[in-house]
């Protein structure tokens, strides 16, 4: 931050504004059900959604700058000609913010849908879970279908601006024309080969440059000491893409059934597939960040500063590190417990129907007499 603060501090401040806006309106939303008008309450919900997305976007812009640093010059070791807006408008900002925002909607939508699908397997007529599944899928499914497209945009950005990261993600050791797509396998840095992998000829050149003969830079484009940990990046990338493909296919399946006016909740295979997807979006998010962060190593600011030069020179760093790790584990357990309580308390059908459904409205549970 000492080096980069003046250049890329702005999106962090903006994130702070967005975060506090979110916190304020979340308070109004949670505690205002009976205290403000229904319209004001609804707008408070909209403000939470917009500011929540904005705070995510601002902090990812700061991360994107570490991948594609712009908006400054280094003269004699000093940072000069700082342009914070140019730094924010860096080349990685659009592909990364788009990809991460969709990832958030896909992961959250499918996590919520998965829990309701699991409960619908036991009670397919429950109106509360049927409605909740619909809402969760309306958020998660379009995002999951768009996610591979935004991933493609991100990968094409890598091919041009961070070729070493793409080479590691694809375990491509040598620069070549007509480069294949490498799925799975064990990359061996010593021999420069990836054993047991499935290779689709020309596919990487086609995906990265829309030309099957295009040249894709391999790891050999840079000296060995500038390689990231190839196997970790390749495995994370495959995991993200594999889970993303699953989510997109399930989303298309659910969309197709809904379009044909099918009864999603009574389709047990679909419910199982959605229930299985519950953690997948979040695992894909973690894998995605592994690709982005491990793939940039040994740089913390790509091409400008090495990670080893950015480490805080502080003795006993292990103590705050362990404290924060334990604190977050503790908070994680509490969140898990609260969510579990919330799920147990979900209303049964009569309560939902009597409380929320006006007489004569369409009742999803009615068909099966639930
Ligand atoms: C299905 C095909 C997918 C492709 C081709 C793809 C591609 C990529 C690429 C190339 C990156 C590196 C970007 C960079 O470092 O600049 C990335 C990062 C990332 N991916 Fe994916 N991805 C896919 C699916 C998913 C899914 C399903 C999720 C989560 C639900 C996800 C979450 C992430 C996250 C959180 C990052 C790091 C943040 C970012 O760069 O936006 N990805 N992905």
């Amino acid at each position: 931050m000492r080096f980069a603060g003046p250049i890329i501090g702005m999106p962090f401040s903006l994130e702070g504004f967005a975060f506090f806006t979110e916190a304020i309106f979340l308070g109004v939303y949670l505690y205002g059900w009976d205290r403000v008008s229904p319209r004001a309450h609804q707008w408070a919900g909209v403000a939470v959604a917009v500011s929540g997305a904005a705070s995510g976007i601002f902090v990812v812009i700061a991360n994107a700058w570490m991948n594609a640093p712009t908006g400054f010059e280094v003269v004699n070791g000093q940072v000069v000609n700082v342009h914070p807006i140019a730094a924010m408008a860096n080349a990685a900002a659009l592909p990364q913010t788009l990809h991460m925002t969709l990832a958030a909607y896909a992961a959250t939508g499918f996590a919520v849908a998965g829990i309701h699908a699991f409960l619908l397997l036991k009670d397919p007529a429950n109106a509360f879970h049927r409605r909740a599944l619909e809402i969760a899928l309306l958020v998660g499914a379009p995002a999951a279908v768009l996610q591979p497209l935004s991933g493609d945009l991100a990968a094409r950005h890598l091919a041009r601006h961070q070729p070493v990261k793409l080479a590691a993600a694809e375990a491509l050791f040598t620069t070549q024309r007509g480069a294949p797509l490498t799925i799975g396998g064990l990359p061996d840095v010593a021999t420069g080969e990836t054993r047991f992998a499935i290779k689709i000829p020309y596919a990487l050149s086609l995906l990265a440059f829309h030309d099957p003969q295009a040249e894709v830079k391999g790891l050999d484009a840079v000296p060995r000491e500038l390689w990231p940990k190839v196997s970790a990046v390749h495995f994370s990338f495959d995991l993200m893409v594999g889970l993303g493909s699953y989510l997109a296919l399930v989303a298309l399946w659910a969309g197709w059934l809904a379009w044909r006016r099918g009864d999603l909740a009574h389709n047990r295979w679909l419910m199982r597939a959605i229930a299985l997807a519950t953690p997948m979006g979040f695992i894909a998010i973690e894998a995605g960040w592994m690709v982005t962060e491990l793939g940039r190593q040994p740089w913390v600011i790509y091409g400008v500063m090495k990670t080893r030069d950015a480490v805080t020179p502080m003795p006993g760093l292990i103590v705050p590190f362990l404290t924060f790790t334990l604190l977050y584990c503790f908070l994680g357990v509490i969140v898990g417990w609260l969510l579990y309580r919330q799920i147990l308390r979900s209303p049964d059908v009569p309560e939902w129907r009597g409380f929320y459904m006006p007489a004569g409205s369409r009742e999803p549970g009615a068909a099966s007499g639930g």
Side-chain angles (χ1 to χ4, degrees), residues 96 99-100 103 147-148 151 155 158 165 237 240 244 281 284-285 288-289 292:
Q96 266 193 253
H99 196 56
M100 178 59 223
Q147 188 64 332
L158 291 191
K165 191 187 275 182
F237 186 71
M240 170 181 66
I285 286 182
W289 279 114
T292 300

Side-chain angles (χ1 to χ4, degrees), residues 5 23 38 63 71 78 97 125 131 140 143 157 174 178 202 223 236 255 263 288 297 299 316 350 361:
N63 179 269
Q78 296 294 315
T97 52
R131 269 306 178 83
H157 159 81
T174 44
Y202 305 106
S236 305
D263 179 358
Q297 300 308 314
W299 302 102
S361 68

